[in-house]
Amino acid sequence: MKSAAPFMLLALLPLGALAATPKAEIERPAAAAQAIGVVHTVRQIPEACTRIEGRFTGTAAQPYDMQLVRTNPQCQPRAVFLDASKVNPSEAAGWKLNEVVHVPSAACSSQQALIEVWRKPAGQQVALDGQGQNRVYLEDAKQQAAAGRLAALPAYSVKLAMQGAACR
């Protein structure tokens, strides 16, 4: 029984860490377990024309690698991606926790990648038309651009953390 005590403490630590995290706007179950070296889509963000791709590396120094990939060269982004290390997204700074994605490792059941997707609204209310749609009309947009009144874009940022004990 003595040998189980440290593992019980390790099991409780992630729960305590998650309790301090604000409630996410989107809640989904954990992703399917991913094998080492297999590139998988973590999340797509169409308004930023971006797909978040990840893969378990199998190395202890950096067990999970994540990249932002442009979805289509012709896509016109309506949101921007900002580096989390530079903007430090938090609720106090006006960001909203959009989603927390849990990606378990198929090779190491005690380890998972924890990806936090943060969203910062543009700060202005979007006017909806009679059909409940946000429409942008070319002439109106040209006039706003000429007057220097372009709307700010919403922003996204991503944080990566590892949870659980590493396997040998």
Side-chain angles (χ1 to χ4, degrees):
M1 188 68 179
K2 286 184 180 181
S3 63
F7 292 112
M8 291 183 74
L9 283 175
L10 284 175
L12 293 176
L13 284 176
L15 293 176
L18 289 177
T21 304
K23 184 171 171 54
E25 296 175 315
I26 299 171
E27 292 186 23
R28 296 178 215 209
Q34 298 294 320
I36 292 175
V38 176
V39 176
H40 54 273
T41 298
V42 174
R43 163 98 189 264
Q44 284 195 347
I45 302 177
E47 53 267 40
C49 303
T50 303
R51 178 178 64 246
I52 304 168
E53 287 184 349
R55 71 178 177 91
F56 283 97
T57 64
T59 62
Q62 184 183 4
Y64 193 80
D65 182 40
M66 192 173 59
Q67 292 182 342
L68 301 177
V69 178
R70 178 104 180 181
T71 55
N72 185 331
Q74 284 81 33
C75 182
Q76 296 296 317
R78 299 179 311 276
V80 295
F81 247 99
L82 301 176
D83 186 357
S85 65
K86 294 180 182 173
V87 296
N88 196 19
S90 68
E91 284 191 326
W95 291 80
K96 297 183 183 291
L97 182 59
N98 186 249
E99 183 177 10
V100 178
V101 181
H102 299 269
V103 182
S105 170
C108 181
S109 62
S110 66
Q111 191 174 49
Q112 69 177 348
L114 178 73
I115 297 115
E116 291 181 351
V117 179
W118 289 83
R119 178 181 68 82
K120 187 169 189 176
Q124 69 220 20
Q125 292 295 340
V126 176
L128 303 179
D129 67 6
Q131 296 176 337
Q133 300 292 318
N134 175 18
R135 308 221 191 254
V136 178
Y137 296 98
L138 182 60
E139 288 305 316
D140 293 344
K142 284 182 179 179
Q143 289 174 0
Q144 287 178 345
R149 296 179 303 165
L150 289 176
L153 293 176
Y156 283 87
S157 190
V158 179
K159 290 182 180 181
L160 169 66
M162 295 303 296
Q163 279 189 327
C167 296
R168 294 179 189 203

